[in-house]
Amino acid sequence: MTTEPLRIAVVGAGIMGSDHISRIAGRITGAEVAAVVEPDATRAAAAAAGAPGAVTRSRIEDALEHDDIDAVIIATPGPFHESVLLPALDAGVDILCEKPLTPDSESSLRILEAEQKTDRPRIQVGFMRRFDEEYLQMKALIDSGDAGALLALHCAHRNPSTPPGYTETMLITDSVVHEIDVVPWLVGEPIAAVEVRKPRRNSLAPEGLREPQLVLLETASGVLADVEISVNIQFGYQVTTDAVFERSVAEIGRTSGIARWVNGAFRQAEHLTYTTRFARAYDTEVQRWVDAVRRGTIDGPSAWDGYLAAAVCEAGVSAQASGTRVEVSYVPRPAFYA
Ligand code: ISE
């Protein structure tokens, strides 16, 4: 393991990129932000101000060429990931790529092909829920068999509002993609089919956005996970999972904020955004990734997991349009990802 800090280029200085920059500068050991790559110069400068010594670049190619970079964190919107992943793979650096790996399976397959030309898996995908303490407890309970076999999951994924440009397909590719990754991880088997139903529209959603939606994920042995995705629900940011077993039920994700009794009522704080709701999961994810990269490996979902999620998202988008149950098909797993 190297004794030098890992020199990271953070690509994208929006909400997630800025969050990772302050995490690395303030809480992560063994790493430093060497470059902030962002075409918007004002944003780049604001984000780099929190990372002493970091330079700003407008293109990833420039950082890879001039800044002695060991690793890259990609925090741009999903459709821009491929254009950073390919030069980074080519330069032989390690990569933590925020979800989704790419928005569709064809582009994800191009990434797998490029990665297989390198010496070992270099990409970890930022599905941070796998590092959340309660999800880990739920997985341990399912794996233990203590409550009997798992039969079904009820998942709620609620955002207070949507950013400009958020579209109906992004309900699947940008939001439900988290459940699309974490459900097979919890259940221990792939998603075989997807169906999408659309309840009455929330009039508070921006014009043209049909939401909420109910997404039904069906695993290979018939475990059903229903996901309510609501993205303009105003009150806060909430992600919960209830599990139904043969002998028991379990739930995770209820708010853990301060409880208060006020004016004859009981109140408990709720998160407003994912950066606080999953703050500890992100910290654990990034620290474990840094430690792993310094040992010459990854420690979390790989590009193969990113491809599996992309294949399900594609079926989900098609189910959204058709209103029918759509089966998912996958290419065989290459030995490189065994
Ligand atoms: C956002 O990009 C995230 O990853 C959040 O976790 C998710 O809740 C939100 O819907 C996405 O837009």
Side-chain angles (χ1 to χ4, degrees):
M1 169 153 141
T2 167
T3 52
E4 295 299 312
L6 195 71
R7 290 174 55 80
I8 301 175
V10 177
V11 187
I15 298 174
M16 214 51 244
S18 306
D19 196 53
H20 282 318
I21 289 168
S22 54
R23 166 170 297 108
I24 295 163
R27 298 193 290 286
I28 299 296
T29 57
E32 63 191 27
V33 180
V36 176
V37 182
E38 162 66 56
D40 179 324
T42 317
R43 253 192 191 189
V55 298
T56 59
R57 301 279 181 195
S58 56
R59 298 169 61 243
I60 182 62
E61 288 82 355
D62 296 335
L64 291 169
E65 191 178 337
H66 302 294
D67 302 327
D68 199 11
I69 297 300
D70 303 311
V72 173
I73 294 185
I74 305 177
T76 58
F80 301 108
H81 288 179
E82 185 175 3
S83 62
V84 182
L85 283 162
L86 292 176
L89 283 173
D90 210 35
V93 297
D94 286 273
I95 303 161
L96 177 61
C97 179
E98 272 304 333
K99 47 50 61 176
L101 177 64
T102 67
D104 58 74
S105 67
E106 208 178 298
S107 49
S108 286
L109 286 171
R110 283 197 294 273
I111 302 302
L112 296 188
E113 205 180 299
E115 191 178 35
Q116 286 174 82
K117 293 190 182 128
T118 70
D119 51 345
R120 60 171 172 81
R122 291 270 173 184
I123 302 171
Q124 183 168 324
V125 181
F127 287 123
M128 78 300 185
R129 292 190 187 179
R130 296 193 190 197
F131 298 88
D132 175 83
E133 201 44 54
E134 288 193 6
Y135 273 100
L136 285 160
Q137 286 172 20
M138 180 68 93
K139 179 159 176 57
L141 175 62
I142 294 169
D143 290 350
S144 72
D146 284 356
L150 176 71
L151 309 175
L153 296 166
H154 303 291
C155 310
H157 185 160
R158 302 181 176 125
N159 296 180
S161 59
T162 40
Y166 188 99
T167 60
E168 183 169 340
T169 56
M170 287 170 73
L171 289 166
I172 306 288
T173 61
D174 195 61
S175 299
V176 178
V177 66
H178 283 293
E179 281 80 10
I180 284 173
D181 173 68
V182 91
V183 165
W185 174 76
L186 283 172
V187 180
E189 56 186 31
I191 292 173
V194 191
E195 198 178 329
V196 179
R197 298 290 304 272
K198 304 179 186 179
R200 184 174 178 176
R201 180 177 177 275
N202 183 349
S203 65
L204 302 171
E207 209 183 316
L209 181 59
R210 178 75 197 265
E211 67 98 4
Q213 296 191 357
L214 301 178
V215 180
L216 196 60
L217 305 172
E218 186 181 324
T219 73
S221 74
V223 173
L224 286 184
D226 57 82
V227 185
E228 173 219 313
I229 178 72
S230 289
V231 290
N232 287 276
I233 203 161
Q234 316 280 309
F235 76 88
Y237 184 91
Q238 194 175 61
V239 169
T240 62
T241 305
D242 293 9
V244 182
F245 296 91
E246 287 175 311
R247 276 196 297 279
S248 181
V249 295
E251 64 176 43
I252 58 171
R254 303 293 161 196
T255 181
S256 54
I258 185 170
R260 293 176 62 203
W261 287 260
V262 186
N263 297 333
F266 173 75
R267 297 175 60 179
Q268 192 158 29
E270 185 52 275
H271 288 282
L272 295 174
T273 180
Y274 47 92
T275 50
T276 62
R277 164 66 176 82
F278 288 107
R280 285 171 61 177
Y282 283 122
D283 284 354
T284 308
E285 172 195 60
V286 174
Q287 186 65 67
R288 280 181 48 181
W289 172 71
V290 165
D291 295 346
V293 168
R294 295 176 83 207
R295 293 194 307 271
T297 181
I298 61 170
D299 185 9
S302 67
W304 174 250
D305 296 299
Y307 156 72
L308 294 177
V312 180
C313 283
E314 210 165 274
V317 168
S318 144
Q320 214 176 26
S322 66
T324 59
R325 175 181 176 277
V326 176
E327 291 191 1
V328 188
S329 58
Y330 305 100
V331 300
R333 183 201 292 250
F336 189 82
Y337 298 105

